[in-house]
Amino acid sequence: MKIHKIDHVGIIVNDLTAVKKFFIEFGLEVLGEGEVDGKWAERIIGFTDVKATIVLLGMSDGQANLELVKFHTDSKIESIQQSSKNHIAFAVEDIEKVVAKLKKQDAEIISEIQNYNSIYKLCFVQGPEGIILELAEKMR
């Protein structure tokens, strides 16, 4: 068995419009949008009465995608989202400019830019709905 790559990361959100805008301004592109519902969605997701709006975002190089999911039904979803403390890691160029751009979007800087063993500059930023981004710039 071989794992080839991460295809996408899915995040459950409440305010799909705000989170989508945040990631578009961050630099991702909308690859697709749509609604999911019905029995097949219930079987795949494991919740009943599923209806959701999904936005798929990605980078121009197509390496990995981000799937934003706004559920319109099922009360279990809220408790799952509130208990999540995951983050998404992005390799970036010019981390200082990226952090400055995110500050203008009212993102909370969790950690100032740090030097990690002279290999990476790292910074953690919290965006809308508590979504945490780990930014990493490989040092030369």
Side-chain angles (χ1 to χ4, degrees):
M1 182 177 108
K2 182 178 179 183
I3 298 172
H4 294 284
K5 68 175 187 166
I6 293 176
D7 182 70
H8 72 275
V9 173
I11 299 177
I12 300 167
V13 301
N14 288 315
D15 188 342
L16 183 61
T17 302
V19 177
K20 175 182 164 184
K21 179 181 180 223
F22 177 81
F23 281 107
I24 288 171
E25 289 179 11
F26 176 61
L28 300 184
E29 303 168 4
V30 175
L31 303 177
E33 298 183 63
E35 302 287 325
V36 278
D37 60 6
K39 294 291 180 195
W40 73 270
E42 291 177 9
R43 284 192 307 272
I44 292 169
I45 298 170
F47 296 114
T48 57
D49 192 28
V50 172
K51 181 172 182 174
T53 304
I54 295 176
V55 176
L56 188 64
L57 300 163
M59 297 167 282
S60 58
D61 64 10
Q63 286 190 21
N65 298 319
L66 177 61
E67 179 184 68
L68 304 176
V69 181
K70 165 64 177 159
F71 283 98
H72 304 288
T73 54
D74 201 311
S75 61
K76 291 186 217 173
I77 301 301
E78 187 175 327
S79 65
I80 291 169
Q81 180 185 356
Q82 289 176 355
S83 67
S84 175
K85 300 294 181 205
N86 298 316
H87 69 275
I88 307 165
F90 290 93
V92 300
E93 285 182 28
D94 199 344
I95 194 168
E96 289 83 3
K97 278 188 179 178
V98 174
V99 169
K101 181 178 179 179
L102 293 173
K103 280 183 181 178
K104 289 179 184 175
Q105 294 185 57
D106 296 323
E108 178 186 347
I109 307 307
I110 296 172
S111 68
E112 292 301 321
I113 299 168
Q114 303 292 316
N115 179 325
Y116 176 72
N117 293 335
S118 297
I119 301 170
Y120 288 100
K121 291 182 189 177
L122 297 175
C123 182
F124 282 79
V125 177
Q126 185 169 319
E129 298 193 29
I131 298 169
I132 297 172
L133 308 182
E134 176 186 351
L135 307 174
E137 178 182 355
K138 190 161 180 104
M139 298 173 76
R140 298 168 200 241

